Amino acid sequence: TATTEIYTLSLHDALPIWMRRTPSGLTIFHGPPGCGKTSYLRALMARLLDKAVFYFLPVSEAEMLSNPRFVSFWIQQTQRHQKKTKIVLLEDAEELLLPRDCGNRDKVSTLLNLADGFLGDHLKLHVIATTNSPIRQLDPALLRPGRLMGTREFRRLTRSEAQRLAEAKGLALPDQPDFSLAELYCGEVISP
């Protein structure tokens, strides 16, 4: 089936297809700091610029996604960009993704409703959230099929993977067992 074909594609290829087929959804990029989540978002934005409009939203302002005062803004954006997908980027979104407790219950619920609830259907927003937390630590309700469009893990490179990249880019490789991209390109060690 067409859906099965999408799942055999890489996330980079499948994401635009998912976004055309569903009015809203959630994609999560996860992995240690410095492993390429933000760089990948930049590349994805450049690739989809003619098909999507991007909104960077600090996690501290996540209420803009559901606050009634901003609904008219999102409706105006839908009318203004009728042929484009609206994508909200939430970096370092742990407080929206970790299991619900007294401190974040409303924020996680809002994200759930945006991903595949009435609010998401109405506002037609796709959300891409990044986190340094492992996927297994996130709220299980976020990971439900139909709500979660996709995930991508950004992991540390093994020494042999880093060696190939370092040789291709003419970079020096310090003596350590694994590497983040930041350590390779910037020479700064980031503890895992």
Side-chain angles (χ1 to χ4, degrees):
T1 68
T3 304
T4 305
E5 291 170 17
I6 291 174
Y7 289 110
T8 62
L9 298 172
S10 71
L11 179 64
H12 189 71
D13 294 325
L15 199 57
I17 296 169
W18 282 327
M19 289 180 182
R20 282 192 305 269
R21 289 191 178 171
T22 61
S24 60
L26 173 66
T27 300
I28 299 173
F29 296 165
H30 62 98
C35 288
K37 296 180 293 290
T38 299
S39 296
Y40 184 81
L41 279 175
R42 286 185 189 115
L44 187 66
M45 288 173 66
R47 179 176 178 218
L48 297 178
L49 209 49
D50 61 331
K51 297 177 179 101
V53 57
F54 292 87
Y55 306 88
F56 175 79
L57 191 60
V59 173
S60 62
E61 301 297 324
E63 74 172 47
M64 283 184 63
L65 295 170
S66 63
N67 188 310
R69 294 187 337 228
F70 294 102
V71 170
S72 62
F73 167 79
W74 293 115
I75 290 170
Q76 288 171 355
Q77 292 301 300
T78 299
Q79 292 169 349
R80 183 181 208 183
H81 303 287
Q82 290 181 14
K83 296 186 181 191
K84 290 189 173 189
T85 301
K86 295 189 312 271
I87 302 172
V88 174
L89 305 176
L90 298 166
E91 281 198 294
D92 299 318
E94 281 77 6
E95 68 182 82
L96 301 173
L97 300 171
L98 293 175
R100 285 169 277 189
D101 62 22
C102 294
N104 72 345
R105 183 173 311 279
D106 291 342
K107 293 176 183 178
V108 176
S109 295
T110 295
L111 190 57
L112 290 168
N113 196 9
L114 273 171
D116 79 335
F118 289 119
L119 187 59
D121 290 344
H122 181 69
L123 299 180
K124 294 178 176 48
L125 290 174
H126 288 274
V127 176
I128 298 177
T130 70
T131 179
N132 295 332
S133 299
I135 199 84
R136 69 182 179 281
Q137 290 180 1
L138 304 184
D139 192 297
L142 292 168
L143 307 177
R144 195 190 84 207
R147 176 172 288 142
L148 186 64
M149 289 180 16
T151 65
R152 174 151 185 189
E153 180 180 13
F154 292 78
R155 62 175 177 75
R156 294 177 65 81
L157 301 176
T158 64
R159 180 158 185 85
S160 63
E161 291 168 331
Q163 185 67 45
R164 285 194 303 273
L165 182 58
E167 287 172 5
K169 299 292 184 180
L171 301 170
L173 194 64
D175 186 24
Q176 60 189 62
D178 58 17
F179 298 84
S180 71
L181 291 175
E183 291 166 349
L184 281 175
Y185 285 102
C186 301
E188 297 180 27
V189 176
I190 300 172
S191 23

